[in-house]
Amino acid sequence: MKTLGKTTWAIPGGHIPLRSTGHEPEFTSRDELCLLNTSDQEANVEIAIFHADREPVGSYRLKVQARRVRHIRFNDLIDPEAILLDTDYASVIESDVPIVVQFSRLDSSQAEKSILSTMAFPAS
Amino acid sequence: MQQEWINWSGSIRFTPKSIETPENEEMLVDLVRQAVAFKRNLRVVGSSHSCSQVFKTDDILVSLEKFADIESYDATAGTATVNAGMKLHDISQALLKVGLAMENIGDVDYQAIAPAIGTGTHGAGKHLTNLSGQVIGLRMVTGTGEIVECSLEQNPELLRAARVSMGTLGIFTAVKLRLLPAYKLHRQEWCTHIDDCLANLDWLMEENRNFAFYWYPRRDEARIRIWNLPGQGSTDLSFARLDKEWSGWSGEVLPTPQELRYDESEYSLPVEVAPECFKKVRQRVKEKHRQMVGWRILYRPIARDDAYLSNAYERDIVAITLHQNAALPHWEYFTDIESIFQAYDGRPHWGKKHTLKAKDLRSLYPMWNRFQEIRQRLDPNGIFLTRYLRELLVGE
């Protein structure tokens, strides 16, 4: 399999909705990362979280095994600190091997489920 | 030059006038007698894992880091006398070499044993007491510089008062522990929805030697942790997914390595009302605190004991623990949930954050007055009382 993707990605529009409707965790409002590693090496990924009113926080470290996909909710990231809900943030994702990064948001603030999904910006 | 002292989480910072590290009991006795003579205050500190102000002082801070050995042991009787400053992790390793083990330890094991005992620190298990319940004797230097010993046989009332006393009756120098032959445990971690965890709570707590669950407030899911002797306990939780399991010596599989720094608040509640209290806490967190709080809430049963200021004094309890990242604000969260704990007759963990003072605490501990009589007798000059401890225990 050809190695796809880039090593640096950016997502400027982070904002985890505060309220949720419906049974959790399926319908928990969330921002979510989808990471695809098509390479033959495990990807060591570091995420930095940028804020509107303070210095960036990070790194949030995680791994994606070779030739695997991994979904991670920003809601669940707690190390080094939980990301505030209902607050604008952005993220920069860096990996030691090329990966493909997709971003999605499920907003269940109202009962009618709303999903947004977009590719992250491949910076380099 | 004065040195700042910072606790494990970073939320307690202070600069004592001096930091003393006595090498033996005689040096400690001298320190205490000098403190009495010069009307100084003296607080003892262990590994500073606590996030309450229990060891904070602007005067003399005494570290027992050099009291760090197994003093003696009796493998046949299943006992050992351990120096007060020895870390729980080191105790587990040293005891294993002679075929012994502690009955139970907590989720982290880098605390020194005396402060862990003295603050009522515990592990998880419906039929297992906190660490102080494993103490069958101790030796301490009182507030007048006397070396006093007590045990189940010799002055047992003093033992009941001293076990959970936060170093206010005297500074422990050694504790005698009731132990078990070294044993292995099988640890399992199961993931499920919190509703399924709560629906199965009673038998899970009963059937498993050690049991705890974490609730993750941003997923409404639970991680169930159970530890059992090989071949015992629950092996198939039909409502949950087995995430991981492994086996090893008790001292290796009971604790969980933890690098992430956090502050904690914890109350212990009667076991009968704990599920209802937890549901109220869960509801409040989801309604009011999820924006800031992403980390877990921990639920652990503990057996009753007879230490006067133990949060398990004469009642089987469940400890509910709030965690918050050390880098994030915690007081608004902790104090709001504290009101729920208090409505259920909760007793705070002495080594974690709470706002209660003597006037609030007195009615929670049936032997409060008796404890104070003993404290005043052993420390008549109040050299072990800081401003915080006076507010906590005396009410000035």
Side-chain angles (χ1 to χ4, degrees):
Chain A
M1 167 67 74
K2 183 181 176 185
T3 299
L4 301 175
K6 302 285 184 181
T7 56
T8 303
W9 297 78
I11 302 168
H15 188 105
I16 307 169
L18 179 59
R19 300 291 168 197
S20 297
T21 306
H23 194 260
E24 297 197 46
E26 307 92 287
F27 293 102
T28 306
S29 289
R30 59 189 179 259
D31 281 3
E32 189 165 296
L33 270 180
C34 312
L35 306 177
L36 171 63
N37 177 13
T38 61
S39 79
D40 293 329
Q41 294 179 52
E42 182 177 68
N44 294 290
V45 177
E46 296 192 6
I47 303 171
I49 300 296
F50 288 71
H51 300 93
D53 54 359
R54 60 186 174 118
E55 289 298 304
V57 174
S59 296
Y60 297 79
R61 292 184 170 85
L62 50 95
K63 294 178 186 293
V64 185
Q65 293 178 15
R67 300 181 301 281
R68 293 291 185 275
V69 64
R70 185 170 175 190
H71 291 201
I72 301 108
R73 296 183 183 192
F74 281 96
N75 311 36
D76 294 338
L77 297 177
I78 56 161
D79 188 359
E81 67 181 50
I83 297 169
L84 302 192
L85 308 187
D86 197 26
T87 303
D88 291 342
Y89 72 95
S91 55
V92 172
I93 299 108
E94 294 184 294
S95 171
D96 59 353
V97 298
I99 56 173
V100 180
V101 178
Q102 185 177 346
F103 171 78
S104 64
R105 172 174 302 146
L106 187 150
D107 185 346
S108 65
S109 305
Q110 299 179 41
E112 295 76 17
K113 187 167 78 169
S114 170
I115 297 177
L116 168 155
S117 185
T118 182
M119 292 306 296
F121 172 72
S124 62
Chain B
M1 180 173 169
Q2 291 182 313
Q3 177 188 338
E4 186 181 34
W5 195 273
I6 305 170
N7 77 324
W8 180 81
S9 72
S11 64
I12 305 290
R13 294 168 176 264
F14 59 98
T15 304
K17 281 196 176 69
S18 65
I19 299 170
E20 306 291 343
T21 53
E23 294 178 6
N24 52 50
E25 278 182 345
E26 291 70 31
M27 292 175 72
L28 181 58
V29 167
D30 284 345
L31 275 174
V32 169
R33 289 183 174 163
Q34 286 180 40
V36 173
F38 292 99
K39 298 187 186 324
R40 302 281 299 273
N41 282 110
L42 190 151
R43 281 303 295 159
V44 66
V45 69
S47 61
S48 303
H49 183 259
S50 169
C51 60
S52 81
Q53 297 184 48
V54 66
F55 54 84
K56 183 178 179 180
T57 180
D58 57 7
D59 205 342
I60 304 168
L61 188 69
V62 178
S63 166
L64 294 186
E65 66 183 43
K66 294 183 177 167
F67 291 66
D69 289 320
I70 300 282
E71 195 171 285
S72 63
Y73 69 92
D74 183 336
T76 306
T79 63
T81 299
V82 177
N83 290 159
M86 196 169 183
K87 305 276 178 62
L88 293 170
H89 174 79
D90 297 335
I91 293 172
S92 292
Q93 289 195 324
L95 290 177
L96 183 58
K97 289 178 182 170
V98 296
L100 293 167
M102 293 182 68
E103 288 176 359
N104 200 14
I105 53 176
D107 197 41
V108 293
D109 64 352
Y110 30 75
Q111 309 100 318
I113 185 146
I117 290 167
T119 53
T121 296
H122 57 85
K126 186 180 179 183
H127 301 292
L128 298 167
T129 65
N130 63 23
L131 268 58
S132 89
Q134 302 170 41
V135 176
I136 57 175
L138 59 85
R139 196 167 69 243
M140 62 182 168
V141 178
T142 70
T144 55
E146 307 296 321
I147 297 176
V148 170
E149 292 188 65
C150 56
S151 66
L152 292 177
E153 298 81 25
Q154 175 193 343
N155 204 346
E157 193 200 18
L158 180 56
L159 183 68
R160 287 196 293 275
R163 287 195 333 239
V164 181
S165 60
M166 295 166 277
T168 63
L169 304 192
I171 297 176
F172 295 177
T173 56
V175 292
K176 187 174 183 180
L177 301 171
R178 180 187 65 237
L179 302 168
L180 296 173
Y183 59 101
K184 288 188 173 180
L185 291 173
H186 180 59
R187 173 170 171 164
Q188 301 170 73
E189 298 195 6
W190 298 79
C191 298
T192 189
H193 194 274
I194 186 62
D195 290 339
D196 292 324
C197 175
L198 293 173
N200 292 280
L201 195 53
D202 287 345
W203 69 264
L204 282 170
M205 284 175 27
E206 191 62 42
E207 195 170 277
N208 295 291
R209 182 186 192 275
N210 299 83
F211 166 88
F213 79 77
Y214 292 100
W215 173 62
Y216 293 93
R218 289 185 177 177
R219 299 186 68 92
D220 226 5
E221 289 184 319
R223 175 177 288 267
I224 296 169
R225 288 179 175 171
I226 55 179
W227 298 255
N228 287 291
L229 296 170
Q232 297 185 10
S234 308
T235 54
D236 184 16
L237 276 55
S238 59
F239 56 90
R241 172 179 61 83
L242 182 63
D243 183 52
K244 51 186 173 181
E245 61 180 329
W246 69 101
S247 298
W249 294 107
S250 58
E252 296 165 354
V253 299
L254 281 169
T256 307
Q258 185 58 264
E259 295 299 323
L260 181 57
R261 301 295 163 112
Y262 53 85
D263 284 298
E264 297 175 276
S265 182
E266 175 184 302
Y267 273 68
S268 293
L269 313 127
V271 67
E272 300 81 10
V273 302
E276 185 183 321
C277 179
F278 171 79
K279 288 173 186 170
K280 291 268 176 64
V281 171
R282 173 189 172 205
Q283 182 181 2
R284 182 77 64 88
V285 170
K286 289 182 72 171
E287 287 173 358
K288 194 173 173 184
H289 297 290
R290 281 217 292 196
Q291 187 199 20
M292 191 77 74
V293 176
W295 213 9
R296 61 200 187 185
I297 291 179
L298 175 56
Y299 188 102
R300 290 178 287 181
I302 305 132
R304 67 179 60 205
D305 63 55
D306 64 356
Y308 289 169
L309 293 195
S310 169
N311 44 30
Y313 178 76
E314 291 197 340
R315 67 187 198 190
D316 295 321
I317 58 168
V318 167
I320 300 179
T321 314
L322 315 177
H323 295 90
Q324 175 67 320
N325 287 112
L328 294 175
H330 56 261
W331 270 119
E332 183 181 345
Y333 170 42
F334 287 173
T335 54
D336 183 47
I337 303 299
E338 200 176 30
S339 64
I340 299 174
F341 291 145
Q342 289 162 6
Y344 286 89
D345 203 22
R347 295 170 177 163
H349 191 300
W350 299 114
K352 301 179 183 179
K353 293 191 186 295
H354 68 91
T355 62
L356 297 194
K357 308 294 184 196
K359 63 180 170 48
D360 315 302
L361 293 161
R362 192 171 287 121
S363 62
L364 295 175
Y365 296 88
M367 298 304 287
W368 180 268
N369 290 339
R370 182 62 184 143
F371 174 86
Q372 299 302 345
E373 290 169 12
I374 295 170
R375 185 188 59 72
Q376 288 168 26
R377 175 163 55 83
L378 294 184
D379 181 22
N381 302 295
I383 69 159
F384 298 136
L385 292 180
T386 57
R387 181 192 298 176
Y388 173 76
L389 286 167
R390 283 186 187 281
E391 291 175 353
L392 193 76
L393 297 176
V394 182
E396 293 175 1

